[in-house]
Amino acid sequence: MMKTTLLSAIVTGLFCAGFSYVVSLISDSFGMTQLILISFASGALGSLFAQTVLKTFGKGKG
C-alpha cells in the first residue's frame, strides 16, 4: 500500500513538473487567477495521469 502511494506521488510530481515547465514558457501573459487555475489543473490532471498509469501497468501483477 505504501509503495503504491509513493509511486503515485512520484508520477504525479513528474507530470506536474513537466506541466509547469510548459506553462512557464507561456506564462508572461497570465495573471494570478489564471496561474491558480492552471496549478489546479496541473494537480488534478497529474493525479488522474498517475492513477491511469498505475492502473494500466499494475494489471500484469495480479
Side-chain angles (χ1 to χ4, degrees), residues 1-10:
M1 178 72 173
M2 184 64 170
K3 183 178 178 181
T4 303
T5 303
L6 183 59
L7 186 58
S8 177
I10 290 169

Side-chain angles (χ1 to χ4, degrees), residues 44-60:
L45 292 173
S47 178
L48 291 174
F49 177 76
Q51 290 175 30
T52 302
V53 167
L54 293 177
K55 187 180 293 184
T56 301
F57 291 110
K59 286 183 179 180

Side-chain angles (χ1 to χ4, degrees), residues 2-50:
M2 184 64 170
K3 183 178 178 181
T4 303
T5 303
L6 183 59
L7 186 58
S8 177
I10 290 169
V11 172
T12 301
L14 289 173
F15 178 88
C16 290
F19 193 89
S20 66
Y21 174 74
V22 172
V23 169
S24 73
L25 295 175
I26 58 173
S27 67
D28 291 340
S29 62
F30 293 134
M32 184 58 72
T33 302
Q34 288 86 7
L35 289 175
I36 290 170
L37 291 173
I38 290 170
S39 296
F40 172 81
S42 174
L45 292 173
S47 178
L48 291 174
F49 177 76

